[in-house]
Amino acid sequence: MPDRSSGNGRLLITCPDQPGIVAAISDFLHQHGANIIHSAQHTNDPEGGRFFMRIVFSISSFPDKFYQVKEEFLPIAEHFGMEWSLEREDRKKSVAIFISKEDHCLTELLWRWRSGELPIHISCVISNHTTLKNVVESYEIPFYHIPIEKNAKPEAENKILRTLEQYPIDFLVLARYMQILSPDFVAHYPAKIINIHHSFLPAFIGANPYRQAFERGVKLIGATAHYVTNDLDEGPIIEQDVLRVNHQYNANDLKVTGRNAEKIALARAVTWHAEDRVIVDDNKTIVFL
């Protein structure tokens, strides 16, 4: 794991591509005594396209200077028409995990979190079932059971939102949460809800994806981690993983293999979002690794 020094900052930038962006940012950081540790950039079209950049830098006593640096960067951001964020690298983002009955994605996240591999703070776990309550509480994480009753989904989602207000939540993770979130709920966390889909999108959307895969005789089983939007399973993709299978696999074998792909893809997506490596570009993502 990289050393997350309290003197490090992460700057994410999106703006219209034009000359002088990198020079202006580099000069600004230099004027503030910063040393650039890592820099990555991308343009989708050098002639009138969009420019994307991620910079990790070090400044002595950065925690004390954070708000000053953030405020003094505003003129540059306005000049280039930037959408941007500046984060302290030592601040772990606060996460709420949503689950139903399946445990493979949850336990993968909990194990990585406890071992220090996942740079987040898990504030709470919310579920529409009590199946995994003991698992969650064994990690001393608050567990909330909020069932989704038929014809009472708005009330349940309002209760979830009130629960989340108790915590400084940065983003949500749907770790096989078997409920479709309403547009009103999604609007509270734009590009801040990560879902894992149990197939290699855009293939096999909908119910029984492994049965669909079995009937098609697939040779690869995959999983897709993506941001949630109002278009079901069509949000910007963060990560996908595949594992090879063959004709000897039945539908259940495919499901078991798919679970392995799911937990790996979701853990990567959560890590990359937590480390400010992902920029959403319309219905795609730029992921700086």
Side-chain angles (χ1 to χ4, degrees):
M1 300 242 350
D3 177 24
R4 293 181 173 81
S5 167
S6 61
N8 292 352
R10 290 194 292 248
L11 181 62
L12 279 185
I13 293 166
T14 305
C15 64
D17 198 4
Q18 56 193 291
I21 300 172
V22 175
I25 296 170
S26 299
D27 183 64
F28 172 83
L29 292 174
H30 174 69
Q31 293 299 323
H32 285 76
N35 180 39
I36 295 176
I37 300 171
H38 178 78
S39 178
Q41 63 193 64
H42 171 73
T43 180
N44 56 19
D45 187 347
E47 299 294 333
R50 299 285 290 172
F51 178 83
F52 310 90
M53 191 172 195
R54 179 182 186 266
I55 293 180
V56 181
F57 61 89
S58 176
I59 296 181
S60 178
S61 303
F62 185 57
D64 300 327
K65 298 178 181 178
F66 175 77
Y67 291 104
Q68 176 190 352
V69 172
K70 196 168 186 178
E71 182 178 352
E72 293 180 1
F73 188 72
L74 280 170
I76 294 177
E78 292 174 357
H79 175 75
F80 288 100
M82 294 177 179
E83 299 172 24
W84 63 287
S85 66
L86 176 62
E87 293 283 355
R88 283 174 47 180
E89 196 173 44
D90 66 335
R91 188 184 81 82
K92 293 184 177 180
K93 289 181 170 57
S94 178
V95 178
I97 299 176
F98 286 48
I99 58 173
S100 288
K101 293 182 177 181
E102 296 194 56
D103 67 349
H104 56 288
C105 287
L106 171 69
T107 53
E108 181 75 11
L109 295 176
L110 292 177
W111 183 87
R112 290 179 183 240
W113 169 71
R114 186 169 63 180
S115 66
E117 293 183 21
L118 203 57
I120 60 174
H121 172 70
I122 302 177
S123 292
C124 65
V125 173
I126 293 175
S127 180
N128 56 329
H129 296 279
T130 58
T131 307
L132 300 174
K133 182 176 186 291
N134 291 339
V135 173
V136 173
E137 292 184 342
S138 70
Y139 285 80
E140 300 183 346
I141 296 171
F143 177 91
Y144 296 92
H145 174 224
I146 304 179
I148 310 294
E149 303 294 343
K150 187 176 181 180
N151 300 322
K153 192 166 191 173
E155 292 80 358
E157 288 192 341
N158 286 333
K159 186 175 181 180
I160 292 172
L161 290 172
R162 291 195 301 271
T163 300
L164 295 176
E165 287 174 357
Q166 302 177 48
Y167 305 96
I169 299 296
D170 290 294
F171 67 103
L172 312 179
V173 178
L174 310 186
R176 293 310 306 275
Y177 183 62
M178 307 308 290
Q179 292 290 323
I180 298 174
L181 300 176
S182 71
D184 287 342
F185 188 96
V186 173
H188 283 80
Y189 296 94
K192 293 182 179 180
I193 306 176
I194 298 175
N195 183 45
I196 185 66
H197 191 276
H198 41 269
S199 71
F200 197 69
L201 292 176
F204 309 129
I205 294 175
N208 299 317
Y210 295 114
R211 171 57 61 179
Q212 296 179 52
F214 173 71
E215 291 173 351
R216 289 294 305 274
V218 300
K219 303 305 182 222
L220 293 172
I221 279 293
T224 301
H226 64 97
Y227 290 114
V228 174
T229 65
N230 294 332
D231 296 320
L232 182 62
D233 296 330
E234 295 189 12
I237 292 171
I238 307 169
E239 169 65 338
Q240 295 181 293
D241 194 63
V242 292
L243 295 172
R244 185 165 293 280
V245 296
N246 60 46
H247 62 277
Q248 298 181 18
Y249 285 63
N250 60 33
N252 187 65
D253 294 332
L254 296 181
K255 186 174 183 178
V256 172
T257 303
R259 285 174 175 167
N260 288 327
E262 289 169 23
K263 62 186 183 182
I264 293 170
L266 181 60
R268 287 175 183 160
V270 171
T271 300
W272 296 342
H273 182 94
E275 294 180 342
D276 301 304
R277 296 182 179 275
V278 186
I279 298 177
V280 175
D281 177 29
D282 292 329
N283 202 43
K284 298 187 294 185
T285 59
I286 310 298
V287 183
F288 292 110
L289 300 179

